[in-house]
Amino acid sequence: MALLVHVLACAFGLGSWVAVNGLWVELPLIVNTLPEGWDLPSYLTVIIQLANLGPLLVTLMYKLCPGRLKERIVIYSILSIGILSCILLAFFWDKTTTVAGASRSTAFFIITFFLSLVDCTSSVTFLPFMMQLPAKYITTYFIGEGLSGFIPGIVALGQSVGITKCVNSSQTAGNQTGGDTWSSHTENLPPNFSTEVFFFLLAAMMCISLAAFVALNRLPQTFELSSENLVPETVASVSSGLENPGAETDGEDLKCQGEGAAQINLLLAGPKHSVYQLTFIYFMVVWVNGATNGVLPSVQTYSCKPYGNLAYHLSAALASVANPVACTIAMFFKNRSLVFLGVLTALGTGFGSYNMAMAAMSPCPLLQGSVVGEMIIVLSWLFFTGTLSYVKVMVGVILRDRSHSALVWCGAAAQIGSLVGSVTMFPLVNVYQLFKSGDFCSTKCPY
């Protein structure tokens, strides 16, 4: 039974961010088709963050009407919307309309909004639901969440997304001389299967997540799906994410809790965090999610594409491997030291800073045109994702041991960080145009 629940928890986590992750790994192919081109990732980050309306409403319901919001109904709804949106995306992703005299990917943006609504809302519903399971299944859930990026990445590798070659072509120089000039341009090679098939695969993964959720809800009640695994909201209030749980509850109250008193005492006996430590924990949540979900994705095309479409393709697909690997490491090597997590956050920020610097130098970043440069940029994205993914998992484990509300606020903090990051980057990319695009084959750099 324990193995079955591990499998179901992993499959359930698969639907948390599979749609948005799938869009990111497919971008090397999509940016060559849709009219927004290299600016498309910055549009996506803003659309994804606009979808924070969903988690905002859920968080307010938790705060204002505790106990009334039925997580199961919300999860059933968003997974169903996700399946339908993936199917619609397969049919309409490349349809454009004219807006203000320019061609825009209206259908793609609208459907992406609903997919983002699903994934963003999962941050404040999936984890709180997992509180009904023993703590050992939380890490398994995070592995499933990591696989929501890993599996689309592997599929994209098999699809050969965005692979290109440089082609020389001649043009007539002028009417008087009649001579020809030679120029080089990028030619996209056809993928092994279409984008439509890829989106249908995403819909299938959402169906698997929905089936796993149905199975989790039908587990025998004799299994550990009971409230005795939780810190009751009477002990840990909605504000327990920022206060020590049980701080206002005396020993006599705990004796009256009944059958779950032993488990509650065990949780409360664990290490407590001061207000400053909790502030640091939530700061890490905001910072890490702002970097991984808002700031760096907006400029991934500018940091990778100058090295060629292969580097862009590998950085998008292989970086997704780092997430489940980090979750697996966290499953066997748990380090809750805030100093260690702070060092990892700084290290991941360093890799992200290198990626940002290369984007700012586009179309002529360091070592452009060399194999070494391609390897460094791919590895930098890999380690950036891996280190910060480990931090995300361990912070989730720490806050899970506090209370249901601590996880809710963790999800809210994650979305706040993502929103701030994307809103900051959008005007820099699309209004002030601080980042410059260029063709890998035709751009001539001084080094």
Side-chain angles (χ1 to χ4, degrees):
M1 178 64 76
L3 177 60
L4 172 63
V5 178
H6 274 297
V7 172
L8 292 177
C10 183
F12 175 52
L14 193 65
S16 56
W17 283 93
V18 65
V20 171
N21 286 329
L23 288 177
W24 284 116
V25 299
E26 192 73 358
L27 272 184
L29 185 60
I30 295 176
V31 294
N32 295 321
T33 303
L34 297 184
E36 289 74 17
W38 284 36
D39 293 337
L40 187 62
S42 62
Y43 282 96
L44 286 186
T45 55
V46 172
I47 291 173
I48 290 169
Q49 301 317 315
L50 288 176
N52 280 308
L53 175 65
L56 175 62
L57 292 177
V58 171
T59 303
L60 289 176
M61 285 293 291
Y62 278 124
K63 178 69 175 179
L64 301 177
C65 306
R68 293 187 180 181
L69 185 65
K70 303 301 181 183
E71 287 170 351
R72 287 177 173 82
I73 296 177
V74 177
I75 294 173
Y76 277 125
S77 300
I78 62 176
L79 286 176
S80 300
I81 292 173
I83 294 170
L84 179 60
S85 297
C86 286
I87 294 174
L88 291 176
L89 197 61
F91 290 104
F92 300 105
W93 73 273
D94 57 348
K95 306 300 181 184
T96 60
T97 56
T98 302
V99 178
S103 180
R104 295 294 180 189
S105 309
T106 310
F108 181 78
F109 288 154
I110 292 174
I111 299 173
T112 298
F113 172 79
F114 284 100
L115 286 175
S116 305
L117 188 68
V118 171
D119 291 1
C120 290
T121 307
S122 73
S123 296
V124 292
T125 53
F126 284 22
L127 267 180
F129 171 78
M130 289 300 297
M131 284 288 293
Q132 299 180 63
L133 292 168
K136 60 184 178 181
Y137 298 112
I138 290 289
T139 306
T140 308
Y141 166 81
F142 276 118
I143 292 176
E145 187 175 281
L147 289 174
S148 68
F150 173 73
I151 294 178
I154 294 299
V155 173
L157 285 174
Q159 186 185 14
S160 297
V161 167
I163 303 301
T164 61
K165 65 178 180 179
C166 294
V167 178
N168 292 324
S169 61
S170 63
Q171 295 178 341
T172 301
N175 294 328
Q176 295 180 349
T177 63
D180 291 340
T181 59
W182 291 87
S183 63
S184 180
H185 67 276
T186 302
E187 182 177 294
N188 297 306
L189 299 180
N192 293 330
F193 54 88
S194 67
T195 301
E196 290 78 8
V197 173
F198 181 84
F199 289 140
F200 278 124
L201 291 175
L202 294 185
M205 292 174 67
M206 295 289 288
C207 290
I208 292 173
S209 179
L210 178 59
F213 179 65
V214 172
L216 284 172
N217 278 288
R218 294 180 178 276
L219 285 175
Q221 294 299 314
T222 54
F223 188 67
E224 297 169 286
L225 280 172
S226 63
S227 60
E228 68 180 16
N229 295 292
L230 309 179
V231 179
E233 293 299 318
T234 56
V235 178
S237 64
V238 173
S239 62
S240 62
L242 298 176
E243 298 175 0
N244 288 327
E248 299 179 1
T249 307
D250 57 29
E252 292 300 321
D253 292 332
L254 289 178
K255 292 178 182 178
C256 298
Q257 296 291 339
E259 192 175 329
Q263 287 82 358
I264 296 170
N265 281 321
L266 180 61
L267 285 174
L268 297 182
K272 302 184 188 301
H273 298 96
S274 66
V275 173
Y276 296 105
Q277 289 174 320
L278 283 168
T279 301
F280 177 67
I281 290 173
Y282 281 104
F283 170 78
M284 281 196 296
V285 174
V286 173
W287 180 266
V288 167
N289 284 275
T292 56
N293 300 336
V295 177
L296 270 303
S298 299
V299 296
Q300 188 171 15
T301 45
Y302 295 96
S303 70
C304 299
K305 253 205 163 183
Y307 293 98
N309 262 38
L310 178 60
Y312 181 25
H313 172 45
L314 291 177
S315 66
L318 293 182
S320 63
V321 176
N323 195 308
V325 169
C327 295
T328 304
I329 293 173
M331 187 174 186
F332 298 100
F333 302 99
K334 294 183 175 68
N335 192 329
R336 305 186 185 207
S337 168
L338 296 185
V339 174
F340 176 74
L341 295 179
V343 170
L344 271 190
T345 301
L347 184 62
T349 302
F351 288 116
S353 298
Y354 177 81
N355 299 337
M356 177 63 72
M358 296 306 100
M361 296 175 67
S362 175
C364 292
L366 296 177
L367 301 174
Q368 194 260 0
S370 70
V371 176
V372 174
E374 295 178 23
M375 291 176 59
I376 291 176
I377 195 66
V378 171
L379 289 175
S380 181
W381 275 96
L382 187 69
F383 290 127
F384 164 73
T385 306
T387 53
L388 297 188
S389 294
Y390 182 89
V391 173
K392 287 182 185 180
V393 174
M394 291 315 303
V395 167
V397 170
I398 291 172
L399 294 178
R400 189 272 172 205
D401 288 345
R402 296 186 62 80
S403 71
H404 177 283
S405 298
L407 276 182
V408 173
W409 287 110
C410 176
Q415 297 309 122
I416 289 173
S418 303
L419 176 62
V420 172
S422 62
V423 169
T424 301
M425 293 304 299
F426 185 81
L428 299 181
V429 175
N430 297 283
V431 179
Y432 299 106
Q433 298 182 341
L434 298 182
F435 302 91
K436 306 299 181 183
S437 62
D439 189 282
F440 171 73
C441 296
S442 61
T443 300
K444 304 300 181 182
C445 295
Y447 46 81

